[in-house]
Amino acid sequence: MHCFVTVGTTQFDGLVKEVTRLEFMEVLLEKGYRSLCIQAGSSEVGEVMLTKAKSKLPGFQVSWFSYKPNILADINAADLVISHAGAGSCLEIMHANKPCIVVVNDKLMGNHQVELAEKLSSLGHTEYTTPSHLIETVQSFRSENLLPYEPGDPKRLSKHLHQLMGLLYSD
């Protein structure tokens, strides 16, 4: 199994630091994951930590990159996606029907990400956590408990707007 981590276009040192810890990779290995790919954005990736993890966890593959024009292939290749709480990333992952743990950056002031993460979790589409609780969340994570995301119907909005303006609506 494969785990993909994304920080989107941001710098999220707390998440990158957590997923490059040996303890985190050991938990993934215990849960049956054999590879981890980290999209680190502008965060520093602990090369020393990754090298140490590779030597201590034979058979566990770790790779990383900063940015790509499109990460949909990485999302689709994953059995689990761990993502920052950006709306675009969350929607892309849910549209791909991939199990997702959303990690809120608890160092941000006026953090709107918490609201999004809580809502998606309350709807049953994701689980959410903070970097300091990620290991525990991964340990207890059960993808079968998540509900599939059903995209909305844009025609409903269009019909509603037409009705509000007194216009005729045709499909």
Side-chain angles (χ1 to χ4, degrees):
M1 292 195 312
H2 175 66
C3 178
F4 177 60
V5 177
T6 178
V7 302
T9 59
T10 65
Q11 181 173 349
F12 192 172
D13 295 336
L15 177 55
V16 172
K17 205 175 274 187
E18 204 55 36
V19 300
T20 56
R21 290 180 53 207
L22 182 61
E23 295 84 0
F24 174 79
M25 293 179 217
E26 287 172 335
V27 167
L28 285 180
L29 198 56
E30 287 168 12
K31 293 200 60 124
Y33 293 89
R34 298 293 176 251
S35 60
L36 169 66
C37 180
I38 305 163
Q39 181 270 314
S42 57
S43 294
E44 291 281 325
V45 175
E47 285 290 333
V48 172
M49 201 63 204
L50 291 179
T51 303
K52 184 177 173 183
K54 286 179 184 179
S55 68
K56 292 198 180 245
L57 301 172
F60 188 78
Q61 302 295 314
V62 182
S63 60
W64 74 275
F65 61 92
S66 294
Y67 296 104
K68 281 185 185 176
N70 188 327
I71 61 169
L72 188 55
D74 297 283
I75 292 169
N76 285 329
D79 298 291
L80 171 63
V81 179
I82 297 173
S83 177
H84 74 118
S89 295
C90 291
L91 284 172
E92 191 169 26
I93 295 161
M94 291 187 319
H95 275 281
N97 288 316
K98 292 297 177 172
C100 181
I101 297 173
V102 175
V103 183
V104 173
N105 188 345
D106 52 358
K107 303 287 187 234
L108 295 177
M109 299 278 292
N111 195 346
H112 66 280
Q113 292 183 353
V114 173
E115 294 168 6
L116 176 64
E118 285 176 346
K119 185 64 175 178
L120 294 177
S121 180
S122 73
L123 293 171
H125 301 309
T126 68
E127 284 200 22
Y128 84 98
T129 189
T130 59
S132 61
H133 293 98
L134 181 59
I135 289 176
E136 295 90 354
T137 303
V138 171
Q139 285 173 322
S140 64
F141 183 73
R142 302 284 179 267
S143 62
E144 60 272 11
N145 294 339
L146 298 179
L147 299 173
Y149 172 70
E150 299 288 333
D153 179 7
K155 288 181 181 178
R156 287 182 59 207
L157 175 61
S158 179
K159 184 177 180 180
H160 180 70
L161 291 174
H162 277 84
Q163 288 172 343
L164 282 176
M165 294 187 294
L167 301 173
L168 293 176
Y169 176 81
S170 64
D171 273 324

